[in-house]
Amino acid sequence: MHAIHGIDYVERAGTPLALDLYLPEGNSPSGLVLFAHGGGFVKGDRTAAPAEKLAKRLTALGAAVASVSYRLRTEDRALPVQQRRHIYANRKKAISLGVKLAHNHMGPRFEAARQDVGDAISFLRNGNGPCDFSQSKFGFIGISAGGMIGLSLACPDPLLPSYEKPACVVTLGAALQHPWTLQSDTPPCLMLHSVEDRIVPTENCSVIRSYIDEVHAPIEVQLCERRGHNAPVHALFRDSAPDGTPYWLQALALLRQTGVLSPLPAGA
């Protein structure tokens, strides 16, 4: 694995935001996986341990991985007034539908982070980085707040800035703030959650499942047997679903199905 750290992709209020790019050694990447860390939009870092662990596994399979920084603790006034009004209206609607998240998880901090990661996608797509990803399929893996970003990019609100949708999304301990944006052509997603989570309550899974069933969206929600907010991260690497399939293999199958990873050779 070859790592290129600290690639600036956008500047916000005079401060650059950066990403780290991990490439398979000696090979052209089969596709690109964006990774977004967690931390409730107030903390977290693109260099956190899960980023490098994912990068080692995925680059060994031929994919490139970009671990992205985004704004934290963004103040409301950092976004335009019209955007803020729409964000507040969305939050009110989400709460009325039973979405249970902290206000900051559904407010301007969340939207600022979503826009940052969307700009990171555009940066890589436009050939500004060290590799040409203009024709690559790209997937998304996000933990907690990072997973919320990925889901919102896959299920965008048409009244907020839009970005290219990922080919697929894998989330660990996340929720979709705006379940009404789900469509039948939403990119395939795997949402892994714990059976008990006090930060992103497990009840949110029931909310999104009702919308999945209504529009037949290609989203699978799975509850691992572990408890706690960080449990899905451990489950992804160590545990299996009730049918005996390791969660990691489920994630790889999704990446292969959507062309982010090369398919397995016949008979493998």
Side-chain angles (χ1 to χ4, degrees):
M1 180 177 74
H2 174 55
I4 306 172
H5 297 284
I7 302 170
D8 293 343
Y9 71 86
V10 75
E11 190 174 284
R12 302 290 194 215
T15 300
L17 294 173
L19 59 86
D20 295 336
L21 187 62
Y22 300 89
L23 301 169
E25 201 69 56
N27 295 306
S28 296
S30 59
L32 174 66
V33 177
L34 269 80
F35 170 73
H37 65 80
F41 307 111
V42 298
K43 62 181 181 179
D45 193 280
R46 71 178 188 273
T47 63
E52 187 164 349
K53 187 170 185 177
L54 281 166
K56 286 180 178 178
R57 289 194 176 206
L58 292 171
T59 56
L61 296 171
V65 176
S67 184
V68 183
S69 288
Y70 51 84
R71 280 174 289 179
L72 303 173
R73 298 182 180 275
T74 305
E75 296 187 5
D76 288 21
R77 64 175 179 269
L79 297 182
V81 172
Q82 276 304 113
Q83 287 187 24
R84 296 204 306 264
R85 287 174 178 165
H86 191 60
I87 292 163
Y88 300 149
N90 277 346
R91 180 166 61 191
K92 185 177 181 180
K93 181 177 180 179
I95 293 170
S96 73
L97 294 173
V99 176
K100 296 184 178 180
L101 291 170
H103 270 213
N104 283 332
H105 292 174
M106 297 186 283
R109 288 181 180 178
F110 153 65
E111 175 58 21
R114 187 190 72 88
Q115 293 182 18
D116 292 344
V117 177
D119 281 341
I121 294 168
S122 299
F123 173 87
L124 292 167
R125 278 301 208 201
N126 292 336
N128 297 311
C131 293
D132 181 7
F133 293 111
S134 60
Q135 303 301 316
S136 302
K137 295 277 190 179
F138 83 91
F140 197 105
I141 298 178
I143 296 174
S144 188
M148 296 177 197
I149 293 170
L151 290 170
S152 64
L153 290 170
C155 310
D157 183 318
L159 296 181
L160 290 169
S162 61
Y163 304 92
E164 182 181 353
K165 293 181 181 181
C168 63
V169 177
V170 177
T171 69
L172 308 170
L176 178 60
Q177 290 92 330
H178 312 141
W180 60 89
T181 60
L182 280 173
Q183 302 290 334
S184 60
D185 62 352
T186 293
C189 302
L190 171 63
M191 298 177 63
L192 184 57
H193 215 88
S194 66
V195 293
E196 183 180 305
D197 187 337
R198 297 181 181 180
I199 305 299
V200 180
T202 308
E203 293 93 320
N204 289 309
C205 296
S206 298
V207 176
I208 193 172
R209 276 175 172 150
S210 65
Y211 282 88
I212 291 169
D213 293 341
E214 182 179 336
V215 302
H216 305 291
I219 296 180
E220 184 171 1
V221 182
Q222 296 217 23
L223 298 182
C224 69
E225 291 302 316
R226 294 174 182 257
R227 299 179 184 275
H229 183 54
N230 293 319
V233 180
H234 302 294
L236 177 68
F237 295 115
R238 302 175 185 173
D239 297 350
S240 297
D243 67 359
T245 305
Y247 291 120
W248 177 247
L249 292 187
Q250 289 189 4
L252 293 185
L254 185 60
L255 292 168
R256 289 195 172 98
Q257 168 195 329
T258 52
V260 179
L261 283 177
S262 298
L264 285 171

